[in-house]
Amino acid sequence: MKKLIYFPIIIISFNFSFAQDYFLENFGPYNENIQSPEEFLGYEIGDQHTRHDLILAYFKYLSSVSERANLINYGKSYEGRTLTLLSISNEENLKNLEEIKTEHLKSTIPGSIKTINENLPIIINLGYGIHGNEPSASEAALLTAYTLIASKNKKINRLTTNSVVFVDPTLNPDGRDRHSQWANQYKSINLVADSNDAEHNESWPRGRTNHYWFDLNRDWLLAVHPESRGKLNWLHEWYPNVVIDVHEMGTNSNYFFDPMKSSASVKPLIPQENVDLYPIFAEYYVKYMDSIGSFYYTKESFDETYPGYGSTYSDLQGGLALLFEQASSRGHVQETNYGEMTFGFTIRNQFLNGIATVEAAVDNKILLRDYQKRFFETSLSEFKNEKIKAYEFGDIYDKNRTKAFIDKLQIHKIEVYEKDDKFIVPVNQLQSRMVKNFFETHDKYLDSVFYDASAWSVANFYNMKHKAVRSIDVNKLTKVKEVLVNNPKVSKSNYAYILDWDDYNTPAALNHLHKNEVISYSAYKPFSIKVNEDDDVKSFNRGTVMVPVSKQKVDSEKLFEVVKSSQEKFNLPVFSTETGYSSAGIDLGSNFFRINKKVKVAMLIGDGVSSYEAGEVWHLLDTRVHIPLTKIRLNQFNRISLDKYTTLVMVSGSYNQISESGIKKIKDWVGKGNTLITIGSASSWAIKKEVVKESLIETKNDTIFSRKRYIDAREYSGRERIGGSILKVDLDLTHPLAFGYRDQSIPIYKNNNVFLNKSKSDYSSVAIYSKNPHIDGYVSKKNMENNLKGAASLIVSDSGSGRVVLFADNPNFRGSWYGTNKLFLNAIFFGANISVPK
Ligand SMILES: [Zn+2]
């Protein structure tokens, strides 16, 4: 086929234009008092990429003109865009929405339903556009909302009578607008289908991700961003029976819908009954796609192993979550291997499958509600007889990290209890499956190729020490409503202040001191000293920040104000002392207190650099440490001087754009006493380009050749890729990069095949993989034996008067690795004081 559809460019202003018919013809007649998306926007759907503010305006309009729609706002994106849902149902249902909700939620409360209420509408959430540059989704949302609201067709009326549909048009509005702007600005009057055209080739960082370049379709478990947090709150308010998550994939593909590849988990937490629902829904998609001659596939790819996808999360909440993947026209029309594909064609598939979903859900509403009821019943019964009854956790040295972890449990409605200074999570609760996701680890899988990570035990992300408990009586425990970190208020000192580096927030407080020109030192050895008015002796770990009163440029009053405000802002343990004499360890005047130098941090970004990892650094420094990070695009790099920066971050990337003279520039700058921090493949780059003299572990090639089946090639090569696993490393706690840690053994996240040999220097391999490093996730035997045993995860290597901190593994993964963030922040704050002993 040369052209899949004929798509006229002229806007026709009466009600049923040809273009509108292309989408809407089977669902008429329509209420003439309600404007179609085309009439409202002034262009045909598919003719432009619709900005989020226009989508929002249209939804507001629908809500104002129709009794069948109500607008709900559930948050704001980082760039201030409103996150919104339109609830759609018939007039009567919307009037009784609160009663419907109460009745519906009974299926989430075991024992509260005797017989299924057959008249109760089914609850559906149509979610669109979590990946901003997969634009057909949100355009389809406009058509779907319009059809459900304005159609007078009997079939549609039956659907809206029997359902409440919540349409979420733009799950990621910041990314959406980044891409829409791109596609619209490069669009020609004479459409250019040539795939080489700029319209089809978005520039870095592209619109897939949110403001900080995070993939929001991995954030449903980790709940870092306002987009996910707002939506998670809504999901737990409604527990929809059906959720769809609408995507795009490669231009030369066709269309994908569920069922997907089966889970790689040995014992999947998603019930088989849920999996059995997919073929029932698939029949509807088959019917709609066959009727318009659209091609598709199922079963072969994608999987539900990772619980943080939009197409998985609601499966763990008693709903049915479905994935749709449409081949992308990426732009308004693009050539493919089989002719040209228009934007309109991609939108139509998504639109029809949205309607098909509502139809499937309505036809199966009793089955779905009955399933949800059983899901929550089995949440209480399924794991009841398992040996592990609860998990106990808590870190008394770092209350802010503990608080952040509890926040993650609670956003998923996991019940947390406390007893003394320990927290307890019982397994046997309505969110038992989520409890397992947070604490259980795995080493056996049915598959070795994963669509994403194979490890997500969130407790390990937070380096949250925990133990399994075999008997528990919740009646003797107190349920935690909200975690308050109550550190005693610092009192004024005439001698010195002490800020405990063990706390997650102390780097932010140190940055606050730097900003206010406060002089501070850090302890390179532990000490115990009398603190506060009551003269209690307190022990302090390495890294502890000491602020001497007499050495400041400001008077003691002003200093107290700054110290006090740093505590108020970041809620960390701060103490005052009136003496420099320690009862144990170093005194405050010791040379093992080193002055903290002010830092100015830059990071290289642009083509070839992992936008995810760069975004993680930006997000960490901007939102948690409050450091203004300078982001330098690689195409500017030749023109700028590095001299004003103390620290340069290079995350995983190819860095092909850096020329020989650029490499020399970095080397010279490091040589002057500065700190280069490299992560993942940037560490390999620094070694290969001889910025440092360290070495990579050479992968040994097999000398005995084997023969395998052609079809299995992907499986075999996939096996050796470390897609995301949690490993144990052994830390040198005396090294400045490990300050603030108390356990020699901590979990790290590995999702690359960067393997560093131990350093040439005896004192520089700060973290090496433990003898038996596996904690969670899939790692091949070959990688374990040949590449990980005895290898280094974190090295500092000197170069002139400066140093390069080489992270083999990403310490900032997905904004969630609270447990390893401090290694990275130590490199920033203490880098200038790290030398490599000879
Ligand atoms: Zn996607």
Side-chain angles (χ1 to χ4, degrees), residues 130-131 134 208 217 246-248 325:
I130 196 158
H131 291 145
E134 299 175 4
R208 175 183 177 89
N217 196 32
V246 180
H247 292 257
E248 288 185 2
E325 295 272 355

Side-chain angles (χ1 to χ4, degrees), residues 566-618:
S566 75
Q567 182 177 39
E568 279 159 8
K569 259 181 111 133
F570 303 108
N571 206 0
L572 70 154
V574 183
F575 306 90
S576 62
T577 180
E578 295 297 340
T579 178
Y581 188 70
S582 297
S583 52
I586 55 172
D587 295 320
L588 301 195
S590 162
N591 280 341
F592 282 101
F593 274 97
R594 308 251 164 91
I595 195 153
N596 291 318
K597 291 171 192 156
K598 254 184 120 167
V599 293
K600 186 153 179 63
V601 190
M603 174 173 66
L604 298 181
I605 63 165
D607 277 329
V609 176
S610 161
S611 58
Y612 297 129
E613 285 187 20
E616 286 155 8
V617 171
W618 180 24

Side-chain angles (χ1 to χ4, degrees), residues 46-116:
D47 198 31
Q48 275 198 47
H49 285 64
T50 308
R51 293 195 318 260
H52 177 68
D53 60 316
L54 293 174
I55 294 173
L56 190 62
Y58 184 57
F59 273 30
K60 269 187 192 154
Y61 161 77
L62 289 175
S63 170
S64 70
V65 295
S66 172
E67 299 297 323
R68 294 167 77 168
N70 276 324
L71 197 67
I72 305 153
N73 294 337
Y74 66 86
K76 267 198 188 316
S77 70
Y78 286 109
E79 294 173 21
R81 294 183 175 88
T82 302
L83 299 158
T84 206
L85 282 158
L86 193 66
S87 57
I88 303 170
S89 194
N90 73 11
E91 212 175 314
E92 201 192 325
N93 287 341
L94 281 192
K95 273 192 194 131
N96 299 319
L97 199 57
E98 277 310 305
E99 289 81 49
I100 289 173
K101 185 180 178 181
T102 310
E103 201 55 26
H104 161 72
L105 288 178
K106 282 183 182 166
S107 51
T108 68
I109 310 162
S112 60
I113 300 181
K114 297 278 170 309
T115 47
I116 298 292

Side-chain angles (χ1 to χ4, degrees), residues 219 223-234 407-408 411:
D219 198 45
V224 172
H225 300 287
E227 296 90 344
S228 329
R229 296 182 68 87
K231 193 60 191 290
L232 281 166
N233 288 334
W234 183 85
D407 166 74
K408 290 302 142 74
I411 199 163

